[in-house]
Amino acid sequence: MHRLLVGDELGNIKSVSYSPDIVGDDAKTVTKSLRSGSSDGVQVLATSRQVEGMESNLLVAGFSSGLISVFSLNRDDTGLVEEISQWKETRLRPGQKYIGLDISHNMVFSCTTNGALRSSYLRSQESPEFRLSSLPARLHAWKMSSNQDAFAYGGDEVDVSVWDVERAFTPDPSSEGKKRKRDALFSGELWRAKNVKTDNLGLRQPIRITSLCYIGPSQASHSLAVGTDLGNVRRYDTRAARRPVSDWIVTKGAGIACTEKGMADHELFVSDRKSNLYSLDLRNGRIAYGYQGLSGAVNSMAPSPTLLASTAQDHFVRIHSTFPLPQNIGNQQEQKGQVLEKVFMRSIPTVCVWDSFSKQEATIAAIEDEDDDIWDTMETTGHRSEEDKNPRKK
């Protein structure tokens, strides 16, 4: 059985349990209410199964009011939750929202569109310990790396940037009273992208980052996939160049809404602001297959080793099948993903995360992570960035 946690625009949190082995007329999905809301919509969700001193899984939710709540979530399917801690982001202003949330090893990280970054250390018998930092404003996307040593963000005229987590919360006394150069990195900033080249008319292209995700192995934080408001998906390698190593136009007339790294090799799930949801091949930027039957824009995705969950503006939560990409680049995709189940929600769902997988899926994910780590430790030779190949264009 697989359990998906879903938040909606009214602040409700529900669980959707999916049992693919059920045959006959019995329903494969069961929906239960975990929290009843009123008006404060759920903007971000995160779960953790690695919190010290806690017997239950933790669910963290960020609401439109600025409140963040931490719940103790039962590991079985009883659907019972207990709020164990809460705090409010006082720097959040009207019209702003949470864009990122992450939890692991007793640490909760949150970020808002106005750059309010917060680290919250959970303690079993005491209130959380907070650390605050400020990032640039007008952000639209924020993502923590899997090993929590770095995070990345981007937004409206804010190009992709990668920061060291610890240094982001450490003040830099040497910079006080000094005027920072325009292109100089902030204290704690490891890398910043450079805007793409001018268009065919020689005009500067606007920076409109709408989504991003890490696409490297589980312990790597140098490969990023970025979606733009113009329908581009760009791939960055912070070791190679400041400009994207690949830039693909995926949709025309609709900006990219969500990007999520799939569990299979070279797989990226991409949704736009219409009603399209694709599986993209990161080796060549081509669409492997698209999902049919969607009537609303997908606003959240949650990949698992064998499934993909999504929420959309048409009030539906969907469970999709996924299939690995061909081993050889350019080969035809024989098996294509489909919508396996869909569940109607009275309020528009806004975000979803998986709470638990089957034992088989957990084993598959662990093996893939180990394989990725081995490949990532090997030294790359003979790789040249686009700027190295064209020195005259610098």
Side-chain angles (χ1 to χ4, degrees), residues 155-160 195-196 204-209 234:
D156 183 7
E157 290 301 329
V158 179
D159 220 331
V160 185
N195 194 14
V196 295
R204 174 187 177 274
Q205 299 195 49
I207 301 173
R208 299 285 188 271
I209 307 299
R234 294 168 180 162

Side-chain angles (χ1 to χ4, degrees), residues 216-390:
S218 60
Q219 299 300 320
S221 56
H222 52 74
S223 297
L224 294 161
V226 176
T228 74
D229 193 44
L230 300 178
N232 297 64
V233 171
R234 294 168 180 162
R235 182 173 182 171
Y236 289 90
D237 187 339
T238 60
R239 302 169 303 177
R242 293 179 60 193
R243 286 197 170 110
V245 294
S246 300
D247 191 358
W248 307 300
I249 299 178
V250 177
T251 63
K252 293 185 178 181
I256 302 298
C258 301
T259 53
E260 287 291 345
K261 174 69 173 69
M263 297 293 183
D265 292 338
H266 316 297
E267 182 181 47
L268 181 72
F269 293 107
V270 179
S271 69
D272 63 16
R273 290 176 176 170
K274 289 184 178 179
S275 57
N276 298 309
L277 175 58
Y278 302 117
S279 171
L280 191 74
D281 191 337
L282 286 169
R283 294 171 294 184
N284 54 19
R286 293 184 179 179
I287 296 174
Y289 56 85
Y291 292 95
Q292 305 298 319
L294 281 68
S295 56
V298 172
N299 51 26
S300 178
M301 294 184 289
S304 80
T306 59
L307 298 170
L308 172 70
S310 71
T311 61
Q313 295 288 337
D314 60 1
H315 289 252
F316 278 101
V317 175
R318 292 177 172 87
I319 307 296
H320 313 264
S321 61
T322 62
F323 294 97
L325 301 174
Q327 286 188 345
N328 298 324
I329 301 176
N331 285 6
Q332 185 176 0
Q333 178 79 25
E334 296 181 357
Q335 294 178 302
K336 299 182 180 181
Q338 297 179 345
V339 177
L340 301 176
E341 292 288 328
K342 62 179 182 179
V343 180
F344 180 79
M345 299 288 178
R346 292 185 178 181
S347 302
I348 296 177
T350 53
V351 61
C352 63
V353 293
W354 288 107
D355 170 56
S356 59
F357 310 134
S358 65
K359 292 183 179 179
Q360 181 181 5
E361 280 196 311
T363 303
I364 294 173
I367 293 174
E368 289 180 347
D369 285 347
E370 290 177 2
D371 291 342
D372 287 340
D373 293 341
I374 293 173
W375 283 107
D376 188 54
T377 57
M378 294 185 178
E379 183 179 358
T380 301
T381 60
H383 179 79
R384 298 173 65 195
S385 68
E386 181 180 352
E387 294 184 0
D388 293 335
K389 295 178 182 177
N390 302 278

